[in-house]
Amino acid sequence: IPSSHSTAQATVTTMLASVRSLVVVALLLLAGIAPFGASGFLPASDRRVLHKRHHPSFQRARQHPLASRAVGPLGVTNGDGTDADEGGLLSPNRVNVPWAAAWVGFIAYAYARTAGEAPGATNAFVEPYFSDVIHRPEAWPALFFAVWNYLGLVPLLMASLIIPSSGGQKIPAAPFLFGSAAGGYGVLGLYMSLRDGETAASQMPSKADLGWFGRNVFENKACNWLFFITTVSNLFTSDLVSALSSDPARVVPDYIESFQSLAIVGASSADLAILTVTAACLIPQDLKRRGVEDEGKARLIAASTLLLPVLGGFAYCALRPELPE
């Protein structure tokens, strides 16, 4: 007969997991139905303001080589109205090679793992999860369940880092951020592959330039801390803390065994690793638009987030300087 303490602990764990799931689903649904401009969360009217001389952030942005470019309905244009990136969306000067290479590598790795797996192994592994998405299936290692849950949270982190730099891009960020909740880097990698890094670097928005969702959710410190607390709660609701306290010697070996035999474990782990590195790579640029000019310090902060995947990224968002009003 379970003790009252264990029953209460199970109840609290279930409540935390339920609240976490509801928060993530609600935010992603809002992100999917909110009215966006051509660059996702940044309204078209506000994006055009970014490059006008009367805008407060113009003094910081005008030194950038792209500051003389305007943002037309199809993307970056020269002063005479011609397209600054001739050759189309998939031309060589439009493809961001490092991110595209990461995307191709990830897709190839996931395909290879799936092709080399025993027939039906992944289906048998995930079937219990879809019968109860709150509690960890018995066959799932606690460490992998934590990884799996973090993949559902990481789109919120990526949105917090990408939204301020999404102006002036030829493709909207919102659909890819929304799709990454299900497809991870397999979806977000398409956006990163076509994201113009120089255009992103030229964006120096204030809070007023962001759309309602970006301004009141992803640039809201209360929401940033809520995201961080949610990622911390995942350590408990995934049973990882419980496994580390009861049988720490089995946590990593159980995970490695599943990693070697199951494609979904290998692909999901690679997915989280790539997304963690992607987030870290975006942090120095994010700090620069927030007034941090020390590149060495920015790189050190970015590298520190790699020590705690997802958790470190959300901690950064909660502690980073705010955009100017």
Side-chain angles (χ1 to χ4, degrees), residues 50-51 57-68 202-204:
L50 286 178
H51 295 274
S57 62
F58 176 77
Q59 296 301 320
R60 287 180 292 154
R62 66 179 179 177
Q63 299 300 323
H64 194 278
L66 289 182
S68 62
S202 73
Q203 300 302 305
M204 296 292 182

Side-chain angles (χ1 to χ4, degrees), residues 8 18 73 97 165 177 264 269-270 288 308 315:
S18 301
V97 176
S165 63
L177 289 167
I264 191 170
S269 301
K288 188 172 183 179
L308 293 172

Side-chain angles (χ1 to χ4, degrees), residues 106 109-110 147 151-152 154 180-189 259 264-278 310:
F106 170 66
Y109 174 75
V147 168
L151 283 173
V154 76
S180 67
Y185 195 76
V187 175
L188 186 63
F259 182 92
I264 191 170
V265 177
S268 297
S269 301
D271 195 7
L272 187 66
I274 295 173
L275 289 168
T276 299
V277 173
T278 301
V310 185

